[in-house]
Every structure is written in structure tokens, then in C-alpha cells.
Amino acid sequence: MDTTTLILATTFAPFAGFVIAILFLHRAPQLAQVVVTASAAVALGGAVQLWLNGPAEPLRYLWFTSGAIDLYFGFLLDGLNLMFGVAVALITLCVIVYSIGYMADDPSKTRYFALLAFFEWAMLSFVYAVDLLQSFIFWELVGLASFFLIGFWYQKPSAAEAARKAFLMTRIGDVGLLIGVLLVMMTAGHFDIPGLLDPDVGLVTRLAPATLTAITLLIFVGIVGKSAQFPLHTWLPDAMEGPTPVSALLHSATMVAAGVFLMARLYPLFLAAETTRSVILVVATITALLAATMAMVDRDIKKVLAYSSISQLGFMLMALAAGSLFAGVFHLITHALFKALLFLCSGLFIHHFATNDLEQIGRSGGRSMRLATIGLLIGGGALAGVPPLSGFFSKEEIFAALGHGGGAAFTIAAFAAAFLTAYYTFRMIFLVTVPDRIEPHTADDHHEGSVEPWTMALPVVVLSLGATLAGGWGDKIAATLGVEISHHSIGDMLPAIGVVAAGVVLAWLDFGRGDRAGFLTRIPALQSLFSNGWHIDEIYRAVFVRITGWVATLLHGMEVKGLDGGFDRFGVGILGAGSGSRRVQSGWVQFYGGCAVVVVGAIAFYVGMGG
């Protein structure tokens, strides 16, 4: 099969699944599941074959012409795109198969699976886009699909509110991205990504440093919104209101990773903009630390994982800002595997015990669910950076990158964030697997005999293998990116191992035994600060939401009492004048004759007086 056929099958199979399911299979949810699953399998098969075939020449098709500007639609097939396309297709297929069991009793299954297919089409089309405007269009479609999926249970006010919040906060970032994209057109005259990155005639050689800095900073604003970085990070924990498989899909390798991927895709531009990279390094470091502190105290298993996603995305951006494309992309791939695994394991617990509370899951017998517990241990170990799991190796590359190009302060901050990651991850593990007591739990009839059905178990097994083995893929990932790497000695790795070990030990002392209260309970001010998310949402409500409300009230008053009221009064005056003139028009001939005599007499008098 040639490259054109493969890429079209890979990107448009999910779109075909979406169209068929949403238009024709509303009353056949089982068939809709089959169609969407088959379309995702085709997409994964095509993505894998494209990756095995290796990089190919970009495919471009003229979209339309506007004056001297030609706009193209096509596919970019270099190492980064091909590798990330496989990751997106794999995670999506795992989530779709898992959803067959998780959403078995949902009355809106057809809509759910159709939206998953729509999301995959938008995400894959974004990944393979050859044109920056094309990338932006599918970037927006990814946001639209995530809005529908986060608010899938729109009957719940909290889910509808979370979807609106995610949509609005990411749109704030997208405004900056759009301005940056338009500046690219103004300065380069085209949107072609290979042309923009060309080392001889690309933007780096054509633009003044200040202009390049402005463009990259504006693009970074979009990345901040999509990848939930400070200060636009607060939408992500609320997005956990969606179904758990949606959380696994959006918050591992797809939506939130899109921002990191965009920076990696345009990396030569960011590498040449030193001021922008300094800003990114500061923002990403703040985000990694801030989110880790929130994860230390939350009891909702999905929100703990959401905060960890925010923090790990900060790690990726720190690596890219420090000058290591390999470290950022390596952690992007490993994180996709172990974070999707953790979300799917949390879904197994939630599906069976009908609660998100970590302590309640543990007390209800969470460790009795063997596959979910094994997946939790593997995924949690990888997230914490326990060797020899995948997260350890990708984080070690980040520490090395920061040591070479990030500065001592950022390296220390990264180690601090890694320590907190190990602490909150094993806090989660110990609360589930080492409960302080066991309480009787009676499973619903629906779950009897099917605590871990095969459709939910199979993706967990696949992702567990990936999270375990991906640490050994470093050489292959580096070769795909076309970069050379050096292997670290055991001595180089000891600081990272020590930091992780310290976090695990402290988590054991706090939650593996004793009163399980945690050391933060002895510092109530910090406990309250972290539990309330540093009061950032409250600040937004007090400042931006309140000011917006005041402005809206003022404008509403101006419209209702000013513009509308003025026109209403004018209309009433016209009606009054019309009513008065209607009384004059009585239809009496005698009255009209008398009026004529009076008028003629008045005129004669005026003329006679010499007027």
C-alpha cells in the first residue's frame, strides 16, 4: 500500500466511523461500537505501517488561492509526526476497547463512541498536518471534541460547567496562538511547516530576533491553554467530570499533549528564541511544583492524576526549554503510556466501587482487584520515576538537560517536583493497597462476576507492558528524531534515585502505617492552601469573573434602559402623535371647511397687515 493511501486511511478511517455512527446507528449502539472500534484499529494499523516505512516526502494538495497566497492541505511524515501518530492511535484504540465495558449501561453509547472517533480524527489530522493553518484548524476541532466529551453527561450541572470552563480557558490561549499564526503569514507569506523550519530560508534566518520572540511567545500562549500550564491550568482538574476513559484519552497522549507536541513540531523556532525559552522554563517550573502540591492533598483519585498530568507536562516543557528535544519527546511518549494506564486502572476501581475517594476505595477492598492493583503499581512507579520503569529513564534525561542548559535553580526545582511526585503517587498507592481498615462492600448486581471484564482488562495489560518497557526505547526515539544521545552512568542516576526513594519513604511513613494523616496536617495553613488550589480559582472569580459580571451588567443596563429605552420612548411618542392626528382626521366635511376658512382668513390678515 502506497504512502498516500496509508495516510488517508489512517486519518479518515476515524472520520468515517464518526459519520456512520452519528448519522445511521443511533438505534444500534452495539453496531456503533463495532464500527468505531474497527475504524480505530484501521487508524492504528495505518499509523504503525507509516512509522515502519520511515519518513517520507510531505504530501501537499492545493486548498485554495487568495491573491498571491496559496493555502495547502496535506500531511507531514517525518520522524516526530510518525512516532506521535502511533502513540495517539494506540492510546485511542485502548480507550475505545476499554469503553465497551465501562460504558456498557450508558443509554447514549452511540453518541459517546461517535465523539471518540471524531476526536481521534481531529487529533491525528493535527499531528500529521503539513500546514500551520491546517494545524490550527484541527487544533480547534480537538478543543471542540474535548468540550463535547468532558460535558458528555451534560445532565449533571458540574459536567456542563466543567466543559464550559475547559472550552473558555483554552480559547484564551487560542487567541494568542491565532495571532502568532497570522504573524507568521505576515512575515513569511505562507504556512508551510517544512518551509518555516528550513535552516536556510526559514523564519529563523529571515526574522529579527524581536519578531521571532514575539511569534514564539504568542504560540506559547496557546500551548499554555491547551497543555494546562500556569496560570491557565485550573480547567484540567474540573474536566474529570467526564467519563474516566475520556480522562485517559484527553489527559495522557492527546489533547493536553497537543501543546507540547506543537512546541516540539516548531522546535527550531523556539530553540532560536532564547527569551521565549527562558519564559517557558519559568512557567513550566512553576506549573510542575504548583500542581504537585495540589496532588499531595486531594482524595479524588482522578483529580490526583489530573494534577500529576499538569505537573508532568511542565516537566516536558522544562526539557524542551532547556534545549533537549529528545528529553521532552521521550517523556511525552512514556507519560502517554503510564498516565493512560493509571486513568484506566482508576476507572476499574470507580466502576466497581462507585466512588472516586482514595480512602474509600482502599477500605472497600481495592487491592482485591488484582489487575487494577498491578496496573496501579506499574503506572504509579513509572510516574514516580522508580527504576527500571519507563518514567525513570525519561525523567533522568530531563534532569540531565536541565543540568546542561537550565541552570542550578531549575535543576533543584525539578528534583523538588520529582520528590513531591514520588510522595503523592505512593500516597495514592498506599491509600488503595494498605487501608487502615476494611469495610464491607456489596457490588451492584451489574458488576457481579465481571469486576474486570476482558474489554477493560486487555487495554490495562497492553499499557502495563508499554509503561514497563518504554524506558528502553530511548535509542529508537532518538534515532527517529535524528538526534544523538549519551548514556548515563549509575553515578549520574543516583541523585534521581535518591529523590524518588525519599518521596516513597515519606509516603510510607505518612500513609503506609500510623494514623495516615500526612505531615501536612501538622501545617494547617499549607494544608488549606494546597487543598484550595492556592486559591487561584477564587482569585479568578473575584477579579475576572466579577469584573466581567459588572461590565455585563453595565452594558445590559445601557442597552435596556438606554438604547432600547430611548427607542421605546421614541416609538411611544410617534404613537402619541399618530393618535392625536387621528383625532384631527374626523371625516366631518363641516370641520374641514371651517378649518379652511380659518387658515385662509389668517393668511389674508397677515397679507393685509403688510406681512
Side-chain angles (χ1 to χ4, degrees), residues 568-581:
D568 287 346
R569 287 189 292 273
F570 179 74
V572 170
I574 294 296
L575 289 174
S579 178
S581 64

Side-chain angles (χ1 to χ4, degrees), residues 9 18 37 42 75 297 348 365 446 487 527:
F18 161 70
T37 304
V42 170
F75 305 98
V297 295
L348 284 170
H446 169 69
H487 296 282
Q527 173 89 2

Side-chain angles (χ1 to χ4, degrees), residues 517-556:
F519 73 91
L520 281 174
T521 57
R522 294 185 284 275
I523 316 174
L526 278 183
Q527 173 89 2
S528 175
L529 182 65
F530 297 165
S531 298
N532 289 287
W534 292 72
H535 301 285
I536 293 174
D537 263 337
E538 287 86 341
I539 293 171
Y540 288 162
R541 282 192 288 269
V543 179
F544 300 108
V545 176
R546 182 174 297 178
I547 291 175
T548 302
W550 288 342
V551 172
T553 301
L554 176 63
L555 294 177
H556 177 72

Side-chain angles (χ1 to χ4, degrees), residues 192-247:
D192 185 66
I193 292 176
L196 297 174
L197 304 181
D198 190 287
D200 297 321
V201 296
L203 286 181
V204 173
T205 58
R206 295 177 58 179
L207 298 184
T211 305
L212 184 62
T213 297
I215 289 174
T216 50
L217 281 174
L218 286 166
I219 293 173
F220 177 62
V221 172
I223 294 170
V224 166
K226 191 73 80 179
S227 292
Q229 297 295 285
F230 176 83
L232 299 179
H233 64 283
T234 60
W235 66 267
L236 187 57
D238 292 350
M240 297 301 105
E241 289 290 340
T244 301
V246 168
S247 302

Side-chain angles (χ1 to χ4, degrees), residues 231 404 519 559:
H404 293 309
F519 73 91
E559 180 181 3

Side-chain angles (χ1 to χ4, degrees), residues 126 131-143 169-186 191 193 196 214-227 232 255 258-263 265-266 269-270:
F126 164 73
D131 184 274
L132 193 56
L133 181 61
Q134 178 188 351
S135 294
F136 180 77
I137 291 170
F138 285 106
W139 171 283
E140 291 299 307
L141 287 175
V142 166
M169 293 196 77
T170 53
R171 293 294 78 70
I172 293 172
D174 291 353
V175 171
L177 176 59
L178 176 60
I179 297 172
V181 169
L182 294 177
L183 279 178
V184 168
M185 169 55 71
M186 290 176 60
F191 292 115
I193 292 176
L196 297 174
I215 289 174
T216 50
L217 281 174
L218 286 166
I219 293 173
F220 177 62
V221 172
I223 294 170
V224 166
K226 191 73 80 179
S227 292
L232 299 179
M255 178 189 174
V260 178
F261 173 80
L262 181 62
M263 182 174 175
R265 176 68 282 160
L266 303 177
L269 305 184
F270 286 92

